[in-house]
Amino acid sequence: MDADELLQLAEQIAREAGELARRRRDEGVRIAATKSALADIVTEADREVEALIRARLTEARPADGFLGEESGAERGESDVTWVVDPIDGTVNYAYGIPHYAVSIAAVTGEPDPEQWTAQAGVVFAPAIAELFRAARESGAWLGADRLAVSQATDAGALIATGFGYDPATHAGDLERVRIVMPLARDLRRAGAASLDLAYVAAGRLDGYFERGLHPWDHAAGALLVTEAGGRVGGAPGGRPGRQMTIAAGPDLYAALDTAIHR
Ligand code: IPD
């Protein structure tokens, strides 16, 4: 198993899938269903794009496992599992905001974010034509530029966050924003977790935190951040997950971790 080969495949499929998503967006978006809450939507394009990604992966690597936002989990016979969000930022997508992405990661070991080792990850924003990529121990890249997380400055940090779809959690989310604001020069809520993580890797954001993420939201983006020299975690000492995800350069990570878990 070669992480660079997995990355090449992920990139090729993400480009094709992203083009399909972009084309479908131009043709008009139809909501197919709601999921955990009325605000948590799935479009016909989410399903079609995931089906395309799954079919391409099955053709190329039939023994691998799959964990996708729309079609669920299937264990493979090899050690590799593909973790896929076909359209991260679905609400942006539905509203015509170009900030959405295809996120594809290849992980080895148990297909569980608490245990897996990420080997390769791609986050592709087709409407902006930016593809962020990383392979384990080969760095994180945007085109020919090697990515590096930002250094802390006295001006305060540009921090992103997100709010899940469940209204019952919003009061807690807002309280966390209040707690974190003294560290911030400003706050962003752009609407696609994979791109929030990619932007931390690229130094476009200094830090990011969110409660409630699913494995497909963070699998590729977390590898981008660590390969760009940053830190990603969750609950104290833990990995990113439903309880919490924090990503930043090492100094800001420590400050966010302390503030959020005080
Ligand atoms: C969502 C986005 C959003 C985040 C939510 C995610 P989806 O993913 O990443 O920014 O706040 O927690 O569920 O539903 O657009 O794939």
Side-chain angles (χ1 to χ4, degrees):
M1 198 274 321
D2 175 341
D4 289 318
E5 273 174 31
L6 296 173
L7 178 59
Q8 269 178 33
L9 180 62
E11 177 169 348
Q12 184 192 316
I13 295 173
R15 284 192 188 280
E16 186 185 355
E19 275 318 304
L20 175 62
R22 206 177 54 80
R23 214 165 53 241
R24 291 291 182 257
R25 173 61 245 180
D26 287 349
E27 291 163 6
V29 169
R30 273 199 293 273
I31 309 301
T34 55
K35 299 196 284 187
S36 61
L38 277 180
D40 187 4
I41 53 172
V42 54
T43 68
E44 289 178 357
D46 285 89
R47 290 179 175 167
E48 191 186 1
V49 173
E50 183 158 315
L52 173 83
I53 296 170
R54 197 164 183 166
R56 292 287 181 267
L57 288 169
T58 306
E59 277 159 33
R61 297 184 53 97
D64 293 353
F66 186 85
L67 174 59
E69 174 167 23
E70 311 306 340
S71 60
E74 187 180 321
R75 260 186 184 271
E77 284 148 24
S78 78
D79 193 34
V80 176
T81 301
W82 295 88
V83 187
V84 171
D85 193 340
I87 300 177
D88 181 40
T90 305
V91 174
N92 284 347
Y93 185 78
Y95 274 74
I97 297 170
H99 195 78
Y100 62 89
V102 176
S103 175
I104 302 180
V107 305
T108 50
E110 275 302 300
D112 168 356
E114 289 297 322
Q115 297 177 58
W116 70 39
T117 304
Q119 300 292 341
V122 167
V123 175
F124 177 44
I128 314 166
E130 284 190 324
L131 185 139
F132 300 86
R133 65 187 196 283
R136 190 173 156 70
E137 289 168 12
S138 296
W141 299 82
L142 173 61
D145 296 332
R146 188 165 184 159
L147 305 181
V149 296
S150 62
Q151 304 288 331
T153 72
D154 292 340
L158 186 60
I159 298 175
T161 191
F163 308 105
Y165 297 114
D166 179 0
T169 62
H170 291 164
D173 294 336
L174 290 171
E175 173 59 11
R176 221 167 286 116
V177 168
R178 191 189 65 73
I179 288 167
V180 160
M181 274 320 268
L183 298 170
R185 71 190 297 159
D186 205 344
L187 187 77
R188 297 287 179 271
R189 194 295 186 249
S194 62
L195 284 171
D196 289 330
L197 290 162
Y199 282 21
V200 171
R204 293 177 180 178
L205 290 168
D206 298 310
Y208 163 69
F209 68 95
E210 183 166 352
R211 187 209 51 78
L213 291 191
H214 295 281
W216 43 83
D217 295 317
H218 62 71
L223 181 66
L224 288 165
V225 173
T226 54
E227 286 297 325
R231 239 184 111 179
V232 185
R239 292 191 169 201
R242 299 280 288 164
Q243 208 177 324
M244 183 50 60
T245 297
I246 303 173
D251 292 345
L252 179 61
Y253 184 96
L256 285 170
D257 188 31
T258 304
I260 289 169
H261 296 119
R262 66 187 184 152

